Amino acid sequence: DDIKKALGLMGQVDLWILLLLLPLQLLSYYAAGSMIFSYLRAKGNLKDMSHWAMTRLALEFNFVNHVLPSGGAAGFSYMAWVLKKRGVSGSRSTMAQVIRFFLTFVTFILLLFVAMIQLGISGRADPIVFVVAAVLATATVGIIFLFIWLVRSQARLPRFSARITRIANRTVAWATRGRKKSVVKQATIYGFFDGLHDDYVSIHKDRKILIVPFFWGIACNILDVSLIWISFWALGYMIDPALLFIAFGIASVAGAVSVTPGGAGVYEAVMVAFLAAAGVTPGVAIAGTLLARVILLAVTILFGYIFYQMTVLKYGKRPA
């Protein structure tokens, strides 16, 4: 019955409001790219990269992450590969992407607390909303501190690199039934993490370098939630942005670790379940969530694929 109601609601969509998704999604990709590229420019890289090229690469990055379910690893590798063609080392491009995720999490936590305060003042939230938000905030902070603990000490890196090398080689050997036993070298892994350590030390000495990416992180989070809010608005329902913000965070985490491309199925189920538990009519929760996801994923995959293919044709040819 809820699904039937959701399908019925699709007939009352205001297309003019829905069209706002397109420019806002472009701005969202621009903000996401700005977190990475403002850091790299501050480090002396990509001085000649245009704003359009930056937005396009951010779209390609999201396309790769959506079509290859790897928990974000595919996007990291793809971005490092493209940026290497522009003179950026693998460790530095990875650090730039780590900073993007780090600041996305940090700014998300700050905005999450604002959302919780707003919901507390309004008195419209179920206690489960605060419990879930607290768990999400704790897990996010834990991941941040774990990464800092790892890269801040150069003494830990050799042991960690050796462990990663053993795990990687054993996994490949198992997957190939022993045909390939040693595909990763410890020296390569250590050099990669040593580069991350050097960038971490540099950032620790000059924290001001993160100010601009920090504000882009706030903009990125707000824009991402606004895209979903507009979809509900187009249906004629004004969902509390604070509630939607918490639902977005939970669904994004669930989608990131799922085995489906772009978290499809998992993201929607978690988002709908949380909104329904928080008091949103199930049919409305289904309609608004699916409307946003279908349009945003379609734009990401369509244009991302085109730009991705253009980049592969430009840089992907093997030597003669």
Side-chain angles (χ1 to χ4, degrees):
D1 292 336
D2 292 327
I3 294 174
K4 287 181 180 178
K5 182 178 179 180
L7 291 175
L9 289 173
M10 294 297 182
Q12 64 186 48
V13 173
D14 188 323
L15 294 178
W16 289 110
I17 296 176
L18 201 61
L19 283 174
L20 293 173
L21 289 177
L22 298 179
L24 273 182
Q25 189 174 16
L26 190 65
L27 283 174
S28 174
Y29 285 129
Y30 180 78
S34 293
M35 279 190 282
I36 296 174
F37 300 118
S38 59
Y39 168 77
L40 290 174
R41 283 174 171 166
K43 300 294 289 184
N45 299 112
L46 306 179
K47 295 290 188 180
D48 58 340
M49 192 171 194
S50 68
H51 294 288
W52 164 244
M54 179 177 68
T55 306
R56 172 183 153 176
L57 187 52
L59 178 55
E60 293 175 41
F61 170 84
N62 277 275
F63 164 76
V64 171
N65 274 336
H66 276 88
V67 298
L68 298 176
S70 60
F76 266 67
S77 300
Y78 179 77
M79 183 73 81
W81 174 69
V82 175
L83 291 179
K84 187 176 181 180
K85 305 296 182 181
R86 293 176 173 266
V88 183
S89 67
S91 58
R92 176 157 294 173
S93 65
T94 300
M95 176 56 81
Q97 295 178 76
V98 168
I99 287 173
R100 178 213 167 177
F101 280 98
F102 171 78
L103 291 178
T104 299
F105 282 137
V106 169
T107 53
F108 174 79
I109 291 298
L110 293 176
L111 293 171
L112 181 63
F113 282 124
V114 173
M116 291 173 66
I117 292 171
Q118 193 273 327
L119 287 174
I121 293 173
S122 66
R124 289 177 292 174
D126 191 278
I128 192 174
V129 172
F130 294 100
V131 173
V132 172
V135 171
L136 180 62
T138 302
T140 303
V141 172
I143 293 171
I144 292 171
F145 277 104
L146 180 63
F147 175 77
I148 293 174
W149 174 83
L150 174 64
V151 300
R152 71 182 298 179
S153 173
Q154 201 166 21
R156 296 189 188 100
L157 298 182
R159 295 193 300 274
F160 183 75
S161 300
R163 190 172 302 167
I164 289 293
T165 303
R166 286 196 302 271
I167 293 173
N169 286 330
R170 288 174 181 174
T171 302
V172 171
W174 172 81
T176 61
R177 297 182 179 180
R179 289 192 299 271
K180 294 183 179 181
K181 297 182 179 180
S182 181
V183 295
V184 178
K185 295 180 180 179
Q186 182 179 343
T188 303
I189 299 294
Y190 175 75
F192 173 78
F193 281 104
D194 190 50
L196 290 180
H197 170 76
D198 291 341
D199 269 16
Y200 170 80
V201 172
S202 175
I203 292 170
H204 191 69
K205 292 179 180 178
D206 183 19
R207 296 185 183 88
K208 292 180 180 179
I209 202 173
L210 297 181
I211 293 177
V212 174
F214 174 83
F215 284 106
W216 279 119
I218 292 177
C220 187
N221 275 305
I222 293 175
L223 285 168
D224 283 343
V225 176
S226 297
L227 290 167
I228 304 172
W229 186 84
I230 284 174
S231 297
F232 281 96
W233 180 27
L235 289 168
Y237 294 89
M238 310 291 280
I239 304 296
D240 190 328
L243 183 63
L244 207 55
F245 191 87
I246 298 173
F248 165 79
I250 299 167
S252 296
V253 171
V257 299
S258 69
V259 295
T260 58
V266 178
Y267 180 103
E268 294 80 12
V270 172
M271 173 77 81
V272 170
F274 179 82
L275 289 175
V280 178
T281 303
V284 175
I286 293 171
T289 300
L290 292 185
L291 184 63
R293 286 285 283 174
V294 168
I295 293 175
L296 298 178
L297 284 175
V299 172
T300 297
I301 292 173
L302 174 62
F303 291 100
Y305 175 77
I306 294 172
F307 295 137
Y308 167 81
Q309 286 297 330
M310 291 171 64
T311 299
V312 169
L313 289 174
K314 181 178 180 180
Y315 295 129
K317 294 181 180 178
R318 294 180 180 274

